[in-house]
Amino acid sequence: MLNKLIRKSEKSISIPLGKRKENAQQEQLPGHIAIIMDGNGRWAKKRALPRIAGHHEGMKTVKKITRFANEVGIKVLTLYAFSTENWKRPKMEVEFLMRLPEEFLGTYLPELIEQNVQVQMMGNIESLPEHTKRAVQKAIDQTATNDGLILNFALNYGSRDEIVQAVSKIARDVQEGNVALEEISEALLSNHLMTKNLSEPDLLIRTSGEVRLSNFMLWQLAYTEFWFTDTLWPDFDESCLMDAIENYQKRNRRYGGLKEGEGN
Ligand code: FPP
């Protein structure tokens, strides 16, 4: 009962978002945040709307969260927009999802450029429809020299597939005598992944109450802090992102070791 009351009173003292942002900026921020954006379908179902309406609303959240993450000072934001398994969805839904990057970038690219955001993409670009490829490539080209937030879309991305491709490339290099067996290391494998130019995620967020990784960045998430929330992606807002960041800042990251003084 007491706990309930305390929790209630804590909730009612709401700190303005701007102040929360300032406070967070005084401490170590997660450099790279990766998000599994889940719950678009359920958001739509709750409103008796078609699933694609949820994806469309989810696209608006992408805009909101990108802008805010950039303002906070996050360096990399990786968003799981389409997995290698998502092709199993109904054709109409897949087609809609493949149109979303185009719509998003068609509408927001000038704003992303103005905000100094650099767009990147990881995943198998070759098997995307031409129109999706064109829209993404244009955004990558036009933002290539920006040095603010890196907005990295995982599109037609699957982590196992990524690892298989990396291993296969290394095996070929060994076979051709370009790499010695002894040179195979964690760093070498990391350098063959689609994230080779990025830091590993510090914080992973998954929305909608599902608690699994769904073939997302399996290698890169080895020491990442996880944050799961019941909020559905279209309802996820700036304050939800602050909740995750604030919680991250209270974590004690040890990377398998001990903090100074803990060994005594
Ligand atoms: C999972 O929700 C979401 C997806 C498979 C697609 C995510 C895409 C977006 C949020 C929009 C992307 C925007 C851009 C700019 C590329 P779900 O459909 O599995 O939801 P459910 O579990 O409630 O059914």
Side-chain angles (χ1 to χ4, degrees), residues 152-164:
N152 180 35
F153 284 110
L155 206 53
N156 195 20
Y157 172 84
S159 182
R160 288 183 174 183
D161 173 56
E162 176 191 31
I163 294 170
V164 168

Side-chain angles (χ1 to χ4, degrees), residues 23-25 27-30 244-251:
N23 290 345
Q25 286 166 334
E27 292 178 48
Q28 180 86 36
L29 286 165
I245 293 175
E246 285 164 357
N247 184 279
Y248 167 87
Q249 292 183 319
K250 290 185 200 133
R251 308 269 180 106

Side-chain angles (χ1 to χ4, degrees), residues 4-262:
K4 251 191 192 166
L5 283 173
I6 291 171
R7 242 179 275 135
K8 202 168 168 216
S9 74
E10 273 175 359
K11 272 209 166 142
S12 58
I13 311 166
S14 67
I15 304 169
L17 190 66
K19 183 74 194 145
R20 292 175 73 187
K21 190 176 84 177
E22 265 175 43
N23 290 345
Q25 286 166 334
Q26 306 305 311
E27 292 178 48
Q28 180 86 36
L29 286 165
H32 183 168
I33 300 182
I35 309 185
I36 303 178
M37 309 179 288
D38 198 5
N40 295 346
R42 275 162 287 167
W43 183 93
K45 197 172 171 204
K46 269 169 67 178
R47 289 160 180 78
L49 294 169
R51 292 178 55 77
I52 56 170
H55 294 314
H56 199 259
E57 199 62 26
M59 182 190 75
K60 294 186 196 160
T61 305
V62 169
K63 182 195 173 201
K64 194 160 50 183
I65 294 303
T66 302
R67 184 197 291 146
F68 189 66
N70 196 21
E71 274 173 32
V72 171
I74 304 303
K75 301 282 179 241
V76 186
L77 181 65
T78 294
L79 301 177
Y80 205 6
F82 193 90
S83 76
T84 44
E85 286 73 36
N86 285 152
W87 296 105
K88 295 179 206 151
R89 295 191 175 206
K91 191 163 173 272
M92 197 269 256
E93 186 174 343
V94 170
E95 277 174 8
F96 188 83
L97 284 168
M98 285 299 149
R99 288 275 168 203
L100 273 186
E102 216 172 332
E103 185 181 341
F104 174 80
L105 295 165
T107 319
Y108 302 129
L109 185 56
E111 203 176 305
L112 294 174
I113 293 172
E114 195 187 302
Q115 290 165 12
N116 197 24
V117 170
Q118 185 186 114
V119 177
Q120 293 195 14
M121 193 214 123
M122 64 176 188
N124 288 321
I125 199 162
E126 308 76 41
S127 22
L128 293 174
E130 278 305 320
H131 61 86
T132 316
K133 255 192 260 187
R134 224 177 302 124
V136 175
Q137 198 53 56
K138 180 178 162 198
I140 293 173
D141 294 344
Q142 293 197 359
T143 61
T145 55
N146 289 355
D147 58 6
L149 173 83
I150 294 176
L151 174 60
N152 180 35
F153 284 110
L155 206 53
N156 195 20
Y157 172 84
S159 182
R160 288 183 174 183
D161 173 56
E162 176 191 31
I163 294 170
V164 168
Q165 282 189 41
V167 169
S168 153
K169 169 81 175 65
I170 294 171
R172 214 172 317 124
D173 284 346
V174 171
Q175 202 174 34
E176 289 169 4
N178 300 323
V179 168
L181 265 186
E182 309 73 57
E183 285 177 285
I184 298 179
S185 64
E186 291 186 11
L188 185 79
L189 189 74
S190 294
N191 279 329
H192 283 77
L193 296 177
M194 292 165 180
T195 47
K196 60 174 178 282
N197 299 319
L198 301 174
S199 58
E200 288 181 352
D202 298 291
L203 174 63
L204 170 85
I205 298 173
R206 183 170 188 149
T207 57
S208 92
E210 306 296 346
V211 187
R212 55 176 172 266
L213 290 181
S214 303
N215 200 15
F216 187 54
M217 302 184 93
L218 302 177
W219 175 275
Q220 297 89 338
L221 294 175
Y223 284 104
T224 301
E225 300 294 327
F226 289 3
W227 172 256
F228 295 101
T229 170
D230 288 338
T231 305
L232 304 175
W233 177 249
D235 293 326
F236 193 86
D237 61 11
E238 292 90 343
S239 142
C240 300
L241 185 65
M242 276 317 305
D243 289 344
I245 293 175
E246 285 164 357
N247 184 279
Y248 167 87
Q249 292 183 319
K250 290 185 200 133
R251 308 269 180 106
N252 178 8
R253 299 186 80 186
R254 291 191 299 270
Y255 301 92
L258 297 176
K259 279 269 172 209
E260 225 170 272
E262 281 180 345

